[in-house]
Amino acid sequence: MARTVAALHILVKHEAKAQELLKQLDKGANFQTLAKKHSTCPSGKKGGSLGEFRKGDMVGPFDKAVFTGPILKPIGPVKTKFGYHLIKVLYRT
């Protein structure tokens, strides 16, 4: 069972915006470029990078998504109290 994960994410206020960005990612858009342009999280400036973190460090739905979702494929939108996240898991250890 993985205990740490490294991920990128894009945080937006509205599900419709998250869906629109997901379509762009499906067509080959660069995740980090979209994060810099659209994410409302401070991590957006770093291409959405959250670095490495441990299980339980993030809010429940986000935590579950990064530890159970596919690696290197966009996951989402995942709804939390902060808004809607698109997540890209880089690796789990």
Side-chain angles (χ1 to χ4, degrees):
M1 180 77 176
R3 286 177 295 168
T4 59
V5 65
L8 309 173
H9 86 133
I10 301 170
L11 175 63
V12 293
K13 291 259 183 268
H14 304 286
E15 188 176 12
K17 182 67 173 177
Q19 293 288 1
E20 177 194 317
L21 294 174
L22 191 58
K23 282 186 184 132
Q24 290 181 41
L25 290 167
D26 287 342
K27 290 179 183 160
N30 182 284
F31 197 98
Q32 290 168 297
T33 303
L34 290 183
K36 284 178 183 167
K37 193 170 176 187
H38 299 284
S39 185
T40 61
C41 179
S43 69
K45 291 183 183 68
K46 298 181 288 186
S49 177
L50 297 169
E52 197 172 275
F53 53 92
R54 295 182 174 281
K55 194 160 179 56
D57 285 353
M58 302 293 179
V59 291
F62 190 98
D63 205 57
K64 184 175 184 224
V66 296
F67 281 97
T68 60
I71 293 175
L72 298 177
K73 287 190 184 295
I75 303 167
V78 175
K79 187 181 192 307
T80 70
K81 63 184 177 183
F82 301 107
Y84 292 88
H85 306 260
L86 295 178
I87 306 163
K88 184 176 184 179
V89 176
L90 301 177
Y91 62 85
R92 283 192 277 264
T93 55

